[in-house]
Amino acid sequence: MEAKARIPVKLHRRVCLIQTEDALLAEEVLANKKLAQDVVGRLADRVLLIRPGRVEAVLQELQRQGHTPQVMG
Amino acid sequence: MNNWTERIPGILKAYEPDLLRAVAGRLCKPRNQWPIEELIERSIATLENTPVLDRRLRELAQPSRLVLALMAHSQQPRWRIGQLIEMTVALTPDGGLEPILDLLEAGLLFPDLPEGETINAFNMWLAHGGAHRPPAVIAPPLLLERLLAGYREGAAIAFDEALPPSTTLLGVTPLETDGLDWPLRLSVLWQQVSAAPLRRTQQQDLFKRDLDRLHADPLLATTSSDALVELPDPGMLAVAWSQALGLIENKEGDLVACAFDESWQDGLPRLLVRLLASLSDVAFWNPAQGWQVEGNVGNPYPSAYLLTLLLLSRAAADQWTRPADLEEWMLRRHPFWAAQSGDGAKSNGASRPPAKTNPRTGRSATQEPALAVFLLGLAYPLRLVQIARDPAGEPLVRLSDLGRWVLGLTDNPPLQPTFPQTLLVQPNLEILAYRQGLAPDLISRLGRIATWKTLGPACTLLLEPTSVYRALEQGETSEGIVRLLESRGMKGVPTPVLEALRTWSNKRQRITIFPSAALFEFPSAAELTDAMNRGLNAVRLTDRLAVVPAEKDIDYRHFRLMGTRDFLLPPDRCVEVQHDGVTLSIDLSRSDLLLETEMQRFSELSADFHPPGRRIYRMTPATVQAARKNGMTLAGLQTWFLERTGLPLSPAAHLFLTAGEMPPLDLRRQLVLHVPFAEIADGLQQWPATRDLVKARLGPMTLVVLEKDIETLRSRCAEINVKLQHGDE
C-alpha cells in the first residue's frame, strides 16, 4: 500500500483559548471589560485567544458571570 | 503501602557502601563479597521472602519486635522515631532508641530519606534531624503483615502487665455508630475547599476569613450527633485530617481540593484503616486544645491514640474500661505526661495559651491526656469502640469488632448489611440519603454532584448548578449522574430533576476553555480535512486551524512540522516591510498565532503570489483607516512595527493613518531658483537685501521665490552683477 505523504503543518504549543457556542456569546465575553483585557485576539467568530497565564482569572470571571465553562485538557 | 515498597530500593542506594554491607550482612547474610547492586537486589528479595522474614523476626529481641508490632497494628508503615520511642518507653523499661537502631541495622526498618540525601551512619542521621524535619522510619509492608499474622496465630507481643483495670457489665446494650460521621464531614470539607481554597499564613495557620468561615459552618463547626463529648475545633480537625489524607493539598500557600483516592472505593473498613493511620500525621490539632499552630512541637497524641486502642485490645472482648483509667495509665507511662507530672510547671510549648484546668484532677489540658475526648468524641463516631454506661451513668469503652479488625487483630472485618436503594430524589432537587445505605464510595460521589445541607440519620443534599458543574469538571457525565441517582434511588428520578441536569449540562457546552492546547495551523482547508480523515482527534476552529486538547494524543507520523511556536514566548520579529512601505511579508516558520490576527486589523491578505514559506499582506488606505476607526492609534501601530519588523512605521503607513487628521494640503504656484553652487544659495539666504525674497529652500542649490518678487530679486542681483533668467528662455 502506498504510504501517504505527510501533511505540512505548523504547531502552536500551549495555546490558551476560548471557544463559544456562537458568535454572539463571544461578543458577550468581549463586552465584559475584565474579560476583554485578557483576550489578546480573535481567531474566528467563536474563538478567542487568552493572554498567557490568565486562564484561571478568565475561568473565575466567567464563573462569576454565571457561565459554566468546560475546561478541556 | 506499595508506595513504601517502591521507595526501599531507592533508600538502600542512598546508603554508603560500608553501611549497606553491614545492613545486608544482617538481613540476607551473604556468604560472599557481592557488588553493591547485587547486595541491594538480594536485600529486596529477602524483604519479599516470607520464610526468611519469619526467621529474622524470631531472631529479634523483644523490644525490637515491639516496635514492629506497634507499626503493624497501626497499619501505617511510616512513623516518626520520636513517636515510636514514646510508645516503647510507655510499654517496656527496655524501650527507647536502642530497639529502633537495632531494626535499622538489621535492615528491617529504613530511614525516610529525602530525595538525593545519602547516609553513612544511623546515629549521624538521627543527630541531623530537627523539629522542622523529625526523622521517620519506614517498615516493609510484608514484614508488618507477617507480624500481624503471627499475632493472630497467638504469638502476642508482650505488654507491660500493669494494664488499666477493666470490668464486665451484665445486661447492657453496647452503643456503636455506623462509622460514617467523619467520611461525611470530610466530604463536606472537600466541598468547601473545592468552592474556595483555604489560604494559609506563613505560620501555617489559616487566614481569619477562612477561620471564620470554618467556625461558622453549620455542618463542620458542630460536634457530631454521634459523639458523646464535645470535640474542640471539629472544623479545623477536618482541615488537618483532610490534608493528612491527601484529600486537600498545599499548593503555593493555598489548600486546594484533590480527587478522592481509591481508599474511598474499598468500603468503610478499609477507609477507617486509612483514617486511623493518617491520624498520626494530623498536625496542629489535638483533643485537649483543638487547633494549635503555635507550640505544637512534640505532639504526644499520635502515639497516645495507638497506645489507647492497643490497651483496649488487651482486655477481653466482653470487658469494659473507663476512659479515666486509660488516662491515668497514660499519665503514668507515657513519657510526655509522665515527665510533666514530675514537674507540674514544666510545659512543652512556651507560647501556648493558658489551658483550662480539669476540676477533677486539678491539672491543665497540656498536663493530662484528653483520651476521653479522643475515645468518646472521635474513636466512637469512627466505630472503633463501643460505649456502655455503668450503673452510675459513667461511660465505659471497649473495642468494636471493626476496631479489632482495623488494628489487625482479626482476619476479616464484620459483615456490613447493604441497602443499595438509599436515596430519595425529590422534584425540588433535594436528595435524601439514608445513612444505613451510605458507604464511602457513594459519599464521595454524592459529594461531587450535590451540596451537603444536613448530616444526620437521613442526610440531605441539594443538586445545584455549581455542584453539577463541579462534578462534570471532574469527569462525571450527565448520564452517569442520572444512572447513579436511578440505581441508588428508591424511586425514579423526577422529570424536573432530569430537565435541570440536562439544562446545566448543556449550558456547560456553551463555552469551552482550552488552557494549554496544541493548535495545528494548516496551509489550507484541504490539509486540515486530510488530517481529520487520518484520525487527528481535534476540534476544528477555522478552515485552517484545529485544536488538540492534549498534545500527547497527536500521532506525529502523519505530519511534517513546518514550524513550532510556543504561545507563551514573547512576540518575535518575523515580518519584512517591502520597499513600497505597504507590503508586509511574513516568515511563516517564525510567526506566532497572534501575528495574523494582529495584521488583519490593519492590512489584508494579498491576492498575489505568495513565495514559499511566506505570506503576503498589504496595507491600503482603506484597511488602515478601518483600523483607525476601530481604535488603532499611531503609537500602537508604531510599537507593532518596531516589535514585529524591527523598523519604524513606514511613511506610507504613517500617511494612511494620519491622513484623516491633516488640514488640506496647500497647493501654490511658485518659481524655483536654481543656483550653480550651494554657497550661492547660502549667500542669497543670508544677504539682507535678498533674504526676505527667498521663501524656502528645496535643496542645496534650489530656492523658492514668489512670482511677484521676481523683479525685485532681479534688481537686487543686478547690483552684484548676477543675472537672472528663466530656465525656458
Side-chain angles (χ1 to χ4, degrees):
Chain A
M1 200 171 78
E2 193 182 330
K4 285 184 177 176
R6 291 180 170 217
I7 304 168
V9 71
K10 185 169 173 190
L11 175 62
H12 299 273
R13 285 203 163 98
R14 298 199 285 175
V15 178
C16 325
L17 55 87
I18 295 178
Q19 187 181 29
T20 58
E21 189 182 43
D22 50 46
L24 203 63
L25 191 52
E27 293 292 343
E28 191 185 318
V29 171
L30 286 170
N32 177 303
K33 275 187 185 172
K34 271 191 181 172
L35 290 171
Q37 282 173 356
D38 290 327
V39 174
V40 284
R42 192 167 184 175
L43 288 181
D45 283 354
R46 302 190 298 123
V47 184
L48 306 173
L49 275 174
I50 305 173
R51 194 179 299 284
R54 298 292 298 164
V55 173
E56 274 303 313
V58 168
L59 180 61
Q60 282 173 12
E61 181 60 22
L62 283 170
Q63 287 173 345
R64 214 179 58 81
Q65 296 287 319
H67 296 290
T68 50
Q70 181 178 12
V71 181
M72 297 284 280
Chain B
M1 283 198 183
N2 288 337
N3 182 29
W4 306 114
T5 314
E6 287 160 15
R7 285 199 59 197
I8 288 172
I11 294 171
L12 283 174
K13 281 179 192 159
Y15 283 14
E16 294 289 344
D18 288 346
L19 182 65
L20 180 66
R21 285 189 191 286
V23 169
R26 279 190 64 184
L27 179 64
C28 46
K29 303 190 175 176
R31 291 182 188 145
N32 298 317
Q33 183 80 354
W34 295 103
I36 294 297
E37 290 72 24
E38 180 88 26
L39 272 182
I40 292 176
E41 274 178 33
R42 281 169 178 264
S43 300
I44 301 300
T46 304
L47 293 172
E48 291 166 355
N49 186 328
T50 307
V52 178
L53 280 184
D54 287 345
R55 263 205 313 276
R56 297 289 173 272
L57 285 173
R58 282 195 296 273
E59 290 163 10
L60 287 175
Q62 198 61 27
S64 303
R65 278 176 62 85
L66 178 62
V67 172
L68 292 177
L70 290 166
M71 295 176 82
H73 285 303
S74 74
Q75 310 226 29
Q76 160 74 308
R78 180 189 178 278
W79 273 87
R80 289 184 185 174
I81 287 181
Q83 294 165 344
L84 289 176
I85 291 174
E86 285 171 349
M87 287 190 281
T88 55
V89 166
L91 290 171
T92 167
D94 299 325
L97 183 60
E98 281 305 313
I100 297 165
L101 277 174
D102 177 50
L103 289 166
L104 286 165
E105 287 159 3
L108 299 177
L109 273 188
F110 297 89
D112 185 11
L113 294 176
E115 197 88 10
E117 194 169 294
T118 58
I119 181 167
N120 54 13
F122 295 120
N123 47 10
M124 293 291 286
W125 166 68
L126 287 170
H128 283 122
H132 62 288
R133 209 187 71 197
V137 286
I138 302 168
L142 181 60
L143 186 71
L144 302 184
E145 283 171 24
R146 291 310 303 158
L147 259 170
L148 285 183
Y151 188 96
R152 289 196 288 267
E153 286 160 15
I157 57 169
F159 269 35
D160 189 285
E161 288 177 7
L163 292 169
S166 55
T167 181
T168 307
L169 288 179
L170 296 174
V172 295
T173 308
L175 300 176
E176 187 174 299
T177 63
D178 59 9
L180 292 171
D181 186 56
W182 275 98
L184 285 164
R185 283 168 174 267
L186 294 175
S187 174
V188 172
L189 188 274
W190 179 87
Q191 285 189 345
Q192 297 273 7
V193 178
S194 294
L198 300 171
R199 291 187 61 211
R200 296 204 96 149
T201 64
Q202 283 190 332
Q203 290 74 35
Q204 299 300 305
D205 207 342
L206 296 182
F207 276 91
K208 186 174 179 303
R209 190 193 67 169
D210 289 329
L211 280 174
D212 290 347
R213 193 175 122 201
L214 290 165
H215 287 315
D217 188 279
L219 299 184
L220 292 174
T222 51
T223 298
S224 152
S225 56
D226 288 344
L228 299 179
V229 296
E230 195 176 331
L231 209 57
D233 299 331
M236 303 312 295
L237 172 59
V239 172
W241 211 346
S242 295
Q243 200 178 357
L245 269 176
L247 201 54
I248 61 175
E249 65 174 354
N250 195 344
K251 199 172 177 185
E252 296 167 3
D254 286 352
L255 290 175
V256 297
C258 304
F260 287 87
D261 67 17
E262 70 279 359
S263 60
W264 290 77
Q265 308 304 317
D266 295 341
L268 179 66
R270 295 260 169 225
L271 181 64
L272 289 181
V273 169
R274 274 272 287 142
L275 286 173
L276 183 62
S278 58
L279 198 55
S280 66
D281 291 328
V282 166
F284 310 135
W285 185 92
N286 68 63
Q289 296 156 289
W291 184 245
Q292 283 289 304
V293 173
E294 291 179 9
N296 197 51
V297 178
N299 177 9
Y301 280 97
S303 55
Y305 298 147
L306 184 60
L307 282 174
T308 305
L309 294 174
L310 288 176
L311 287 172
L312 288 176
S313 79
R314 303 297 293 161
D318 62 345
Q319 294 284 299
W320 296 89
T321 308
R322 288 174 62 235
D325 291 337
L326 289 160
E327 287 179 347
E328 278 304 314
W329 188 96
M330 203 64 69
L331 198 60
R332 281 185 292 106
R333 307 290 307 186
H334 194 290
F336 181 87
W337 288 287
Q340 291 190 23
S341 62
D343 177 7
K346 195 172 164 187
S347 172
N348 193 51
S351 58
R352 283 177 187 172
K356 285 181 190 169
T357 302
N358 184 335
R360 185 172 55 84
T361 61
R363 297 189 195 98
S364 74
T366 56
Q367 288 176 316
E368 64 177 13
L371 296 185
V373 178
F374 163 65
L375 286 166
L376 306 179
L378 202 55
Y380 175 61
L382 281 176
R383 203 179 156 189
L384 297 175
V385 297
Q386 294 177 332
I387 302 288
R389 301 270 179 190
D390 68 8
E394 285 293 308
L396 297 165
V397 296
R398 71 178 183 192
L399 276 186
S400 65
D401 289 346
L402 188 57
R404 287 185 180 278
W405 179 81
V406 167
L407 289 175
L409 303 173
T410 52
D411 287 323
N412 296 305
L415 284 176
Q416 296 271 111
T418 54
F419 302 95
Q421 270 68 47
T422 196
L423 305 179
L424 187 63
V425 186
Q426 305 188 94
N428 64 355
L429 301 167
E430 259 188 14
I431 302 174
L432 212 56
Y434 292 100
R435 282 272 276 259
Q436 60 266 39
L438 285 180
D441 59 336
L442 185 57
I443 289 172
S444 64
R445 277 198 80 186
L446 286 174
R448 274 206 297 263
I449 65 176
T451 307
W452 294 105
K453 291 295 176 190
T454 61
L455 303 181
C459 306
T460 51
L461 301 102
L462 187 63
L463 282 164
E464 296 175 305
T466 50
S467 66
V468 172
Y469 172 58
R470 177 181 61 218
L472 295 173
E473 277 303 293
Q474 297 200 341
E476 293 275 3
T477 59
S478 169
E479 297 75 25
I481 295 172
V482 172
R483 261 200 309 276
L484 173 76
L485 298 179
E486 279 178 347
S487 63
R488 306 304 300 271
M490 292 185 273
K491 291 180 181 173
V493 181
T495 309
V497 175
L498 291 173
E499 278 172 7
L501 286 172
R502 199 175 305 122
T503 306
W504 296 333
S505 174
N506 290 344
K507 193 180 172 195
R508 181 170 164 265
Q509 312 295 332
R510 294 195 72 208
I511 297 181
T512 307
I513 294 184
F514 297 87
S516 184
L519 195 139
F520 274 24
E521 183 181 356
F522 294 93
S524 70
E527 277 97 350
L528 171 57
T529 306
D530 189 10
M532 300 290 264
N533 289 342
R534 289 196 206 178
L536 176 67
N537 184 16
V539 179
R540 194 189 285 257
L541 297 179
T542 68
D543 58 341
R544 291 194 307 111
L545 294 175
V547 66
V548 183
E551 199 180 330
K552 62 179 172 53
D553 297 339
I554 300 170
D555 183 356
Y556 281 102
R557 287 175 304 173
H558 295 301
F559 302 103
R560 176 165 54 83
L561 289 182
M562 300 193 305
T564 306
R565 191 74 172 73
D566 192 327
F567 185 65
L568 303 187
L569 294 178
D572 198 4
R573 286 177 187 170
C574 50
V575 181
E576 279 178 18
V577 189
Q578 305 289 311
H579 294 302
D580 59 11
V582 295
T583 305
L584 303 169
S585 169
I586 301 173
D587 178 352
L588 291 176
S589 66
R590 294 166 59 203
S591 65
D592 56 75
L593 205 54
L594 286 178
L595 181 75
E596 292 198 48
T597 57
E598 290 167 358
M599 290 182 69
Q600 282 162 9
R601 294 177 65 195
F602 58 87
S603 61
E604 61 189 14
L605 193 64
S606 169
D608 297 344
F609 169 72
H610 296 254
R614 304 203 78 89
R615 187 168 292 131
I616 308 296
Y617 275 79
R618 192 152 286 143
M619 290 184 287
T620 66
T623 59
V624 176
Q625 282 300 316
R628 188 169 170 272
K629 275 186 193 158
N630 288 330
M632 176 159 274
T633 61
L634 178 62
L637 196 55
Q638 283 171 330
T639 307
W640 187 91
F641 261 73
L642 272 178
E643 275 183 359
R644 296 303 201 164
T645 70
L647 296 170
L649 181 63
S650 73
H654 192 288
L655 172 69
F656 292 165
L657 194 71
T658 56
E661 296 165 357
M662 274 190 284
L665 302 182
D666 196 10
L667 195 61
R668 280 197 296 253
R669 190 183 294 278
Q670 53 195 18
L671 294 175
V672 178
L673 179 65
H674 292 265
V675 298
F677 312 109
E679 290 78 8
I680 303 293
D682 293 341
L684 287 171
Q685 277 198 296
Q686 194 172 34
W687 185 27
T690 56
R691 187 171 58 202
D692 294 340
L693 304 174
V694 176
K695 294 302 172 196
R697 187 163 180 170
L698 297 178
M701 294 177 291
T702 47
L703 300 168
V704 173
V705 182
L706 294 182
E707 207 165 4
K708 67 180 178 56
D709 295 332
I710 288 294
E711 286 312 315
T712 314
L713 182 63
R714 192 187 296 276
S715 65
R716 300 274 162 83
C717 286
E719 291 175 25
I720 52 172
N721 293 324
V722 172
K723 190 179 173 189
L724 296 189
Q725 63 176 25
H726 276 283
D728 49 359
E729 281 178 1

